[in-house]
Amino acid sequence: MSIEIANESGVGVDEPSIVAAARFALDRMGVSPLAELSVLLVELDVMADLHQRWMDLPGPTDVMAFPMDELDSARRPDAAGLGPALLGDIVLCPEFAKDQAKKAGHGLLDELHLLTVHGVLHLLGYDHAEPAEEREMFTLQNRILGDFRAAAAEAARQSAQREADSKLLGAVGLEDADRPGPTD
């Protein structure tokens, strides 16, 4: 799966973590590993311009998704049997997301993960214009985010355990656990 990310927002963020959230969501949705996605982080004025131009709404917003026209609109890209596809672009505005994160009581990176998953779902044909659609999309979004957070926490736990094991091995004179031991 090819996920390109470009940060033109002027806000320092953990870009690999945003890519990981997008990849996790796409994997969860069964999207082909040959799919391509672009994530762009922009400043407030750029997002305001995009919001006005494409949605005819004033001011900036947190996330916009631009699906590629080549996708068959009659089938969602997460439907079985689809091959490689150029999914489209997700545009995030970290400066706008900062206020939302603060109001929600979590950090900016958590908010950007949420918005990334939200954008992925929009690219896959999900929407929240109607109450039933909103329930479906937000339930799915929350499930994917919960699973992503659990997987990230487990990966961090395993990494910390490996580091602790390595320190212990070093303390007893076995500095490199990957190196083969003595042979007879």
Side-chain angles (χ1 to χ4, degrees), residues 1-2 31 41 61 78 81-82 89 95 102 107 133 167 175:
M1 187 167 308
S2 173
V31 174
L41 289 79
T61 189
D78 58 335
L82 283 182
D89 304 317
E95 191 64 36
K102 192 176 203 177
E133 294 175 334
K167 284 181 183 178
E175 289 116 276

Side-chain angles (χ1 to χ4, degrees), residues 134-170:
E134 182 176 348
R135 274 189 305 280
E136 178 186 19
M137 182 176 180
F138 283 55
T139 297
L140 186 54
Q141 174 181 293
N142 291 338
R143 186 178 322 127
I144 291 169
L145 275 171
D147 292 349
F148 173 72
R149 288 178 181 137
E154 178 60 18
R157 187 198 65 73
Q158 288 178 1
S159 177
Q161 184 63 54
R162 280 190 299 276
E163 187 175 320
D165 291 348
S166 180
K167 284 181 183 178
L168 177 62
L169 290 171

Side-chain angles (χ1 to χ4, degrees), residues 16 26-27 32 46 55 73 90 99 113 118 134-135 149 162 166 179:
L26 291 168
D27 286 346
S32 168
V46 173
M55 304 297 291
S73 61
I90 297 171
D99 290 334
H113 289 158
H118 188 86
E134 182 176 348
R135 274 189 305 280
R149 288 178 181 137
R162 280 190 299 276
S166 180
R179 187 177 48 193

Side-chain angles (χ1 to χ4, degrees), residues 37-40 63-66 88-92 115-116 119-120 123:
L37 170 68
S38 160
V39 179
L40 178 63
V63 60
M64 293 183 71
F66 296 91
D89 304 317
I90 297 171
V91 181
L92 303 171
L115 297 173
T116 299
V120 164
L123 291 180

